[in-house]
Amino acid sequence: MIIWACRRPADDSHLLLKLLPYAAQAAFNTADKQHDPLCLQDTRVDVLNQIRAWADGVDDERCIFWLNGMAGTGKSTIARTIAQEYYNRKRLGASFFFSRGAENRSHAGVFFTTIAVQLAHILIALKQYICTAVDEHNDIAGRRHRDQWEHLFLQPLSKLMANSCQSPLILVVDALDECDGDDDVKGILQLFTEAKSLKPIQLRIFITSRPEIPIRLGFHDMPGILHRDLVLNNVPREIIDNDISIYFRHELRDFELSPQIITCLTEKACGLFIWAATACRFIKNGKLASSKRLSLIVEGGKNGRNPEKELDQIYAKILSDSIRGDYDEDEIEEIYELSRKIIGAIVNLFNPLSAAGLFELLNEPRLEGSRILSNLHSVLVVPEKTVYPIRLLHPSFRDFLLTKKRCQDPKLWVDEKQIHLDLTKNCLWLLSNKLQRDICGLHNPGALMANVGSDRVGQFLSPEVQYACLFWVQHLQKSGAQLHDDDQVHQFLREHLLHWLEVFSLIRKMSEVILAIRLLESIMPVSYISILVVY
């Protein structure tokens, strides 16, 4: 049984906006980011002032500001600070925080539609124009990015009266380098250049990223009169060190540290805020061992040589400490294997899961899994309530685990392809045990999607089951595995193809099943395709 969506009324703007795919966690102020830090008072003063002057149009007509720097330099914290400030001033049009490995935020698929929905909610005067565009182009969500930009942005914004909002209007895009697809990244930058032509409303676009090649090329091809660049690595070291020392004094205020120790820690950070943040969390999470951990960091390594290596040493220390105990060699090896399985899954999931959902997906006991996670609060955000999703503190932890050259201990290194293959098998195992005909017990093959409440869907389809339905094909593709007749994938499609499709309808993701099937067709043997053709 498949439940198909019905056409929504064209005169209802609220329902029209729902036709636009939306990344719910993309905005700077979503619930999952409520504990993410802003810049401390008296830090980043010069950088923030430069951004404010540009955003306010003070002697600067350029419509794009590119803040770039290496990993861990604090770009996202600055982006959140700017987004919060202009949100408070009612000048923030929208924000999109890309995140590799996060559903709908690791690619450009729903970037423009998400921004359009935010704009419509923030500017009432703009809402009617965006809704009209959706009504006139009801396939806009599936069109190319240029069409979305034209119909959902340029045309609606150009129709606004000058007094409709305080101009300039700010758009914040964080971590553009975490958007998959080099062509998409360059295409986004090319479209942004057209913001200069908007009249009478001015649109200012603030972008942060690492200086990756596709982004550098995108800005290189852009006329200099359209964008302003600021490289965090080029900010005078004494200014960065002063900001980091303020951070250390704030975070470690309970330790009554001497100026000499603060100076030592600051020098070791080598300009990386993520080093400082990770070190502070490592020290504070030590509880009774906090002083010992502080001494290890202060006394270990050579000052100011290689900040990435210093950060890697902290990550390795955190992971090895999490497994120490009174175990024999066989037990230690089993614990390392379980740790790699759990942590590897967390850093390779396409959308974060709660601890409860993760252990269910991995088919691992909650007690042992919880003990692994309990010692990783220095690198993971592990909520006390197991129903809330686990998140990485910073993407650099993922980079460390997946890069063999950086994570030199084979007991800690995570084989990315193997983890994706394991996750594929776990997803299919879970779905094979959970999926069935009429899984929500509707007993009505003709039931309309609109009449199926989300509470009922949630009752029968747990978050981990929904995750497995949405992403098992992507995990399969990332694993690089070769498919063959009568393997696990083949058996799943023979027995549960219709049940799988029904779930997409129930969770209102029918547009995504098309993408999943196209991806599956690109990697499956010819003999598999007959299954899809039959259905």
Side-chain angles (χ1 to χ4, degrees):
M1 178 190 69
I2 301 179
I3 306 171
W4 300 103
C6 59
R7 181 89 158 87
R8 291 174 170 86
D11 59 347
D12 192 317
S13 61
H14 179 67
L15 294 179
L16 281 170
L17 286 179
K18 283 194 171 183
L19 293 176
L20 297 178
Y22 183 73
Q25 305 301 325
F28 84 98
N29 57 350
T30 53
D32 68 317
K33 299 185 186 72
Q34 59 185 311
H35 299 302
D36 291 353
L38 302 178
C39 294
L40 292 175
Q41 187 175 356
D42 298 325
T43 65
R44 300 298 204 181
V45 174
D46 183 61
V47 172
L48 291 172
N49 283 341
Q50 289 188 56
I51 299 169
R52 290 168 184 140
W54 161 82
D56 294 336
V58 179
D59 300 324
D60 196 333
E61 296 298 320
R62 289 170 287 190
C63 60
I64 300 174
F65 192 115
W66 179 33
L67 180 71
N68 75 84
M70 62 186 292
T73 49
K75 300 181 296 296
S76 292
T77 302
I78 294 172
R80 282 191 295 272
T81 302
I82 289 296
Q84 182 66 65
E85 181 172 329
Y86 282 85
Y87 175 83
N88 293 341
R89 295 170 58 181
K90 302 188 185 305
R91 290 265 311 280
L92 181 69
S95 60
F96 196 104
F97 281 58
F98 281 101
S99 179
R100 186 170 288 118
E103 180 188 12
N104 292 335
R105 290 190 291 138
S106 61
H107 55 80
V110 298
F111 172 70
F112 288 105
T113 53
T114 297
I115 295 296
V117 171
Q118 290 185 36
L119 279 169
H121 287 312
I122 290 173
L123 291 175
I124 301 302
L126 188 64
K127 187 174 184 178
Q128 60 177 318
Y129 300 125
I130 293 177
C131 289
T132 298
V134 176
D135 191 33
E136 293 177 351
H137 308 278
N138 53 30
D139 62 342
I140 191 66
R143 289 198 184 184
R144 58 181 185 166
H145 293 156
R146 168 158 291 282
D147 290 340
Q148 294 179 0
W149 172 253
E150 178 72 27
H151 295 301
L152 299 177
F153 289 87
L154 292 185
Q155 291 181 7
L157 284 169
S158 65
K159 295 175 183 178
L160 284 179
M161 301 295 292
N163 60 357
S164 297
C165 70
Q166 300 179 49
S167 188
L169 194 64
I170 310 302
L171 171 62
V172 175
V173 180
D174 180 64
L176 184 58
D177 57 287
E178 296 203 22
C179 173
D180 292 334
D182 294 352
D183 291 338
D184 284 340
V185 169
K186 289 187 283 188
I188 287 172
L189 292 176
Q190 183 59 43
L191 292 174
F192 279 168
T193 64
E194 299 175 11
K196 180 69 175 176
S197 64
L198 279 171
K199 303 290 182 185
I201 301 300
Q202 296 181 49
L203 182 63
R204 300 264 163 141
I205 305 169
F206 178 64
I207 300 172
T208 76
S209 78
R210 302 183 194 185
E212 304 291 355
I213 291 176
I215 300 175
R216 294 206 312 270
L217 291 176
F219 279 104
H220 181 268
D221 295 338
M222 194 184 298
I225 60 172
L226 295 179
H227 68 94
R228 174 177 177 176
D229 304 345
L230 177 59
V231 183
L232 282 177
N233 306 57
N234 293 343
V235 173
R237 180 60 180 274
E238 58 269 22
I239 293 177
I240 297 176
D241 284 352
N242 179 67
D243 292 347
I244 289 178
S245 68
I246 292 174
Y247 177 83
F248 275 125
R249 284 195 292 271
H250 177 269
E251 291 296 311
L252 302 177
R253 55 190 178 276
D254 294 337
F255 290 81
E256 300 182 357
L257 301 181
S258 67
Q260 291 80 8
I261 291 181
I262 292 292
T263 299
C264 178
L265 290 171
T266 301
E267 290 176 352
K268 281 181 166 290
C270 296
L272 287 186
F273 276 84
I274 184 56
W275 190 98
T278 305
C280 288
R281 288 172 69 97
F282 177 59
I283 292 167
K284 292 191 294 185
N285 288 338
K287 299 179 181 178
L288 295 177
S290 292
S291 296
K292 182 180 179 181
R293 291 186 175 189
L294 175 61
S295 297
L296 285 172
I297 291 176
V298 170
E299 297 169 5
K302 296 181 179 180
N303 295 344
R305 291 296 179 88
N306 187 335
E308 186 179 84
K309 186 175 181 179
E310 292 270 4
L311 183 61
D312 291 348
Q313 289 173 350
I314 292 180
Y315 284 151
K317 176 67 174 172
I318 291 168
L319 290 171
S320 60
D321 278 1
S322 70
I323 297 175
R324 286 184 178 177
D326 186 17
Y327 307 111
D328 61 33
E329 290 186 6
D330 291 339
E331 291 170 335
I332 284 286
E333 181 56 38
E334 290 177 1
I335 295 172
Y336 269 112
E337 184 177 350
L338 177 61
S339 179
R340 286 194 301 271
K341 181 176 183 179
I342 292 174
I343 300 172
I346 291 171
V347 302
N348 282 294
L349 289 175
F350 292 106
N351 201 37
L353 286 172
S354 67
L358 177 68
F359 300 145
E360 182 70 19
L361 175 64
L362 299 181
N363 192 28
E364 292 293 343
R366 293 192 182 189
L367 180 60
E368 286 81 352
S370 296
R371 285 174 176 169
I372 295 290
L373 294 178
S374 66
N375 294 317
L376 295 174
H377 288 261
S378 298
V379 288
L380 300 175
V381 179
V382 185
E384 292 184 8
K385 294 184 178 180
T386 59
V387 296
Y388 295 139
I390 301 167
R391 297 189 296 120
L392 300 183
L393 174 65
H394 193 268
S396 59
F397 182 56
R398 178 192 297 113
D399 297 340
F400 165 75
L401 284 171
L402 302 181
T403 307
K404 203 169 188 177
K405 187 176 179 180
R406 292 180 60 183
C407 183
Q408 298 180 5
D409 188 339
K411 297 191 296 295
L412 303 178
W413 173 67
V414 170
D415 184 334
E416 185 174 4
K417 286 191 174 182
Q418 183 61 51
I419 288 294
H420 279 297
L421 179 59
D422 292 343
L423 284 170
T424 303
K425 294 177 179 178
N426 286 124
C427 286
L428 293 177
W429 171 85
L430 181 65
L431 295 178
S432 297
N433 283 280
K434 297 292 184 181
L435 295 188
Q436 61 182 30
R437 182 178 182 181
D438 190 19
I439 192 168
C440 286
L442 302 178
H443 308 299
N444 179 8
L448 294 177
M449 181 188 74
N451 297 331
V452 182
S454 58
D455 289 344
R456 187 174 187 86
V457 173
Q459 178 184 353
F460 290 93
L461 293 170
S462 64
E464 60 271 17
V465 170
Q466 294 187 35
Y467 177 91
C469 282
L470 286 167
F471 297 114
W472 73 265
V473 178
Q474 293 186 45
H475 284 302
L476 175 64
Q477 188 264 337
K478 289 284 187 181
S479 75
Q482 298 295 315
L483 301 179
H484 53 82
D485 290 350
D486 294 322
D487 62 9
Q488 186 183 19
V489 174
H490 201 179
Q491 292 176 24
F492 172 77
L493 291 174
R494 277 202 306 250
E495 297 175 14
H496 296 290
L497 176 61
L498 289 181
H499 307 152
W500 178 49
L501 297 178
E502 181 184 11
V503 172
F504 279 91
S505 180
L506 288 165
I507 63 177
R508 294 162 172 78
K509 299 264 189 181
M510 284 305 297
S511 59
E512 296 190 26
V513 75
I514 297 173
L515 299 177
I517 289 176
R518 286 177 179 172
L519 179 58
L520 190 56
E521 287 178 334
S522 70
I523 58 179
M524 62 168 44
V526 174
S527 57
Y528 274 43
I529 297 179
S530 61
I531 300 176
L532 300 181
V533 171
V534 168
Y535 290 107

